[in-house]
Amino acid sequence: MRHICLLLFTIASVFVHAQDCPTLPWTTTPSPKHEVRAVWLTVVQGLDWPLPGRNQEQQKQDLIHTLDQLQQAGINTVLVQARVRATTIYPSQLEPWEGGFSGKPGVAPNYDPLQLCVDECHRRGMECHAWVVTIPIGKWNKIGAQQMRKKQPKLVKRIGDDTFMDPENPLTATYLANICREIVHNYDVDGIHLDYIRYPEQWKIKVTRAKGRENITRIARAIHDAVKAEKPWVKMSCSPIGKHDDLTRYRAGGWNARTAVCQDAQEWLRTGLMDQLYPMMYFQGDNFYPFAIDWQERSYGRTVVSGLGIYFLDPHEGRNWMLGQVERQLNVVRQIGLGHCYFRSKFFTDDVKGIYQLGCRFDATPALVPPMTWEGRPAPTAPKELLLKGNMLSWSGAEDRSGAPYLLYNVYASRDYPVDINRAENLMATRIRATQIAVETEGVNYAVTAMDRYGQESPSVQLLLNAGPEYHAPVIARTDGRSIALPNDNSVLDAEFVIVETVLGQPVAILPYAPTINVASLPDGVYQLRSLGRKGRNHRIGFFTKKSAQ
């Protein structure tokens, strides 16, 4: 199926040009359909973007090239630094311009960098989250700190040459909430990502740790409330210290989120102040794996994304990690159900020690961002019509029931029919706003689902174009509603077992293959059958309707 998807991806500009990624062996860890795969795109000092010495047209092209690379490597979430050090990469009514774009602090470039990033991410089917640095506001004499000292002198604390917002002043929460409200009101971002929402390590905390956590949580709550009042589908996330606290068997070494810097991130997940966490797990061995499990066990049904310190692959960064160490971390966090986020973008796209090639291999199958089911919104209805004219696949009729302004669509392709939308490898195009797309018409079938801004997906509408050798006419249950006759020639299927699934692909029973199988214990409904062979291969046999005798 992989080579079919690669062919299809080249048809339209929204597809991933996956053939540009190096051909490498597949990871042994199964790739899930839902998983956050992210990068931090750093603006401060032009570390990732905009690169020093590039004019504004070159800056735009650099971003487009970077996003192309990220798309090719399966990235589905970009965290772009929108508030840098009390400076912004968009026209703000509250703070001055970050100087890297125009070449002069406080002076606007001839384009809106945040709008460009949002538009280009969405064009590639990726989410764009505005990364907001909260407490640090830069050196004392830099423009961000200077402006803050003039406008909000009571919110500013100086420690050495560095300047910070005061987490103990209640007005800090209000100010930062207004910054985030401004971004969400003016831009179609998919998330607000809070960085450094904690006490600075330089700060001598004189209040109790319980009071300190209350002070930081007040900021998180104010921002959450401001963002959700504007657009409740915008994801709230933050990047806590990579170890939440000491574990029973493993110490955090004096540097942790909850006790050292009063960052009660797991509690924010539990109470709903955060939809996602991106803990900065820039460690190895026993400093990584037990704490990764701790984050997963206390995720409360929400999304945790392991921040990976790939910058340590660069020997100039002081650690000189080996690529295999990152590969092991990727496999483990996937096995326990965490996403992954690379710090930072340029180390990834520069392929330091082969990390980009590893990313292409590891995320070769597309993935959707996990849905925000905890918001309790109804999923959209399925599209009602799926048509093919020439090579244009089009659909219509889906209805958004979440209250968000527009729907997104996911397109699936497979030789099998119906197309199994639960298999990640069948994903062909994701998060597209258009209701048509150019496709290949030979040898494959299609399915389309609607998806709301909360990531909730509708049932699919299906189009059979190519039955192929693996397609069989539907099998109909006998009138007594107790058994089904299967094809007599089992040599073609090489089947040892038969899997009974719902029409959405959820297995409900596995039975030995026989000329007839007993389905009396199943509830009435429509089911599909798959054969399972000796080598793990499976084929769709068809459908049956279970209806008990009245």
Side-chain angles (χ1 to χ4, degrees), residues 218-286:
R218 177 176 56 224
I219 299 172
R221 181 177 297 109
I223 296 173
H224 168 275
D225 292 350
V227 167
K228 297 294 185 176
E230 285 283 337
K231 297 173 183 175
W233 58 87
V234 171
K235 297 177 178 71
M236 284 297 309
S237 71
C238 69
S239 52
I241 300 300
K243 303 172 185 178
H244 182 66
D245 216 334
D246 287 341
L247 305 178
T248 302
R249 294 182 57 193
Y250 298 92
R251 306 286 293 176
W255 184 238
N256 60 64
R258 187 173 185 271
T259 300
V261 293
C262 302
Q263 191 176 40
D264 208 0
Q266 290 179 352
E267 180 69 3
W268 299 343
L269 272 189
R270 189 187 70 81
T271 59
L273 293 184
M274 295 291 156
D275 301 300
Q276 300 176 330
L277 294 182
Y278 292 73
M280 300 179 292
M281 302 185 65
Y282 309 153
F283 315 108
Q284 292 186 16
D286 288 347

Side-chain angles (χ1 to χ4, degrees), residues 152-392:
Q152 301 285 346
K154 295 182 179 180
L155 301 187
V156 175
K157 293 289 184 180
R158 180 175 182 174
I159 304 178
D161 290 333
D162 295 317
T163 317
F164 302 92
M165 302 196 73
D166 183 357
E168 297 177 357
N169 189 325
L171 294 179
T172 292
T174 303
Y175 182 88
L176 290 171
N178 287 336
I179 287 285
C180 295
R181 179 187 288 110
E182 178 181 60
I183 294 171
V184 172
H185 181 79
N186 293 327
Y187 295 89
D188 188 21
V189 293
D190 301 286
I192 291 291
H193 177 70
L194 305 178
D195 188 18
Y196 224 113
I197 182 166
R198 58 183 173 88
Y199 274 86
E201 52 266 44
Q202 302 97 321
W203 195 286
K204 294 181 180 179
I205 305 176
K206 297 180 180 179
V207 299
T208 65
R209 285 304 191 268
K211 181 62 177 177
R213 287 191 288 271
E214 180 182 318
N215 290 333
I216 302 300
T217 297
R218 177 176 56 224
I219 299 172
R221 181 177 297 109
I223 296 173
H224 168 275
D225 292 350
V227 167
K228 297 294 185 176
E230 285 283 337
K231 297 173 183 175
W233 58 87
V234 171
K235 297 177 178 71
M236 284 297 309
S237 71
C238 69
S239 52
I241 300 300
K243 303 172 185 178
H244 182 66
D245 216 334
D246 287 341
L247 305 178
T248 302
R249 294 182 57 193
Y250 298 92
R251 306 286 293 176
W255 184 238
N256 60 64
R258 187 173 185 271
T259 300
V261 293
C262 302
Q263 191 176 40
D264 208 0
Q266 290 179 352
E267 180 69 3
W268 299 343
L269 272 189
R270 189 187 70 81
T271 59
L273 293 184
M274 295 291 156
D275 301 300
Q276 300 176 330
L277 294 182
Y278 292 73
M280 300 179 292
M281 302 185 65
Y282 309 153
F283 315 108
Q284 292 186 16
D286 288 347
N287 288 310
F288 182 91
Y289 299 108
F291 295 93
I293 293 170
D294 178 61
W295 286 113
Q296 189 278 329
E297 289 179 341
R298 289 166 177 79
S299 60
Y300 302 102
R302 304 195 180 215
T303 304
V304 177
V305 185
S306 177
L308 303 180
I310 64 167
Y311 65 107
F312 284 139
L313 291 169
D314 188 333
H316 297 100
E317 295 295 325
R319 299 289 179 87
N320 199 22
W321 284 7
M322 295 295 102
L323 184 63
Q325 295 168 310
V326 177
E327 185 169 18
R328 284 192 293 275
Q329 292 182 352
L330 282 167
N331 275 284
V332 169
V333 298
R334 176 168 286 174
Q335 288 167 4
I336 65 175
L338 304 187
H340 48 277
C341 184
Y342 300 112
F343 185 79
R344 47 187 174 75
S345 175
K346 198 168 187 300
F347 290 100
F348 184 64
T349 56
D350 282 355
D351 197 26
V352 175
K353 285 187 180 172
I355 182 61
Y356 181 75
Q357 297 180 63
L358 171 60
C360 283
R361 177 187 72 199
F362 191 77
D363 292 329
T365 302
L368 301 175
V369 173
M372 300 165 67
T373 53
W374 49 86
E375 290 286 350
R377 306 284 174 143
T381 64
K384 295 176 181 176
E385 275 192 308
L386 185 57
L387 303 172
L388 183 69
K389 292 184 179 179
N391 71 333
M392 293 302 298

Side-chain angles (χ1 to χ4, degrees), residues 137 139-151:
I137 55 176
K139 297 299 181 181
W140 183 254
N141 289 317
K142 295 293 185 179
I143 189 170
Q146 284 181 339
Q147 295 282 344
M148 187 71 72
R149 284 157 45 200
K150 292 178 182 178
K151 295 180 179 180

